[in-house]
Amino acid sequence: PYEKALRKYAVGNRYVGTVSMVDANGVFVALDGGVDCLCPYPPRGVPVIGSRATVRLYKIDDELKRLKGDIVHATYAPD
């Protein structure tokens, strides 16, 4: 089922989700399709957990079953 969910995403497109975790690896955004996307820390500061974020995908790693992207917009406050 996870592989099927990954197929609906495309590199270069933007998707909306909620910041689910922030750790040493970066910011994890739970996309509305149910898949997490790992993003580096944005230059404007780290959004808090629960914030809405727009992510532009730059890599879909089928082997690790992981999405990677950049946060292009975030609310920086929980909704």
Side-chain angles (χ1 to χ4, degrees):
Y2 198 78
E3 291 86 4
K4 188 175 182 181
L6 283 178
R7 280 189 235 134
K8 68 183 202 177
Y9 296 101
V11 172
N13 288 351
R14 295 178 182 206
Y15 301 95
V16 177
T18 304
V19 175
S20 60
M21 185 171 70
V22 178
D23 68 3
N25 296 320
V27 179
F28 288 87
V29 178
L31 300 178
D32 289 341
V35 178
D36 280 340
C37 179
L38 175 61
C39 303
Y41 298 115
R44 289 187 156 179
V46 180
V48 297
I49 295 172
S51 299
R52 296 293 287 173
T54 303
V55 175
R56 184 180 60 240
L57 293 184
Y58 65 80
K59 183 176 182 182
I60 299 174
D61 193 341
D62 291 324
E63 185 176 309
L64 294 175
K65 297 182 177 102
R66 181 177 288 175
L67 298 175
K68 293 185 179 182
D70 291 316
I71 295 175
V72 294
H73 182 265
T75 60
Y76 293 93
D79 289 338

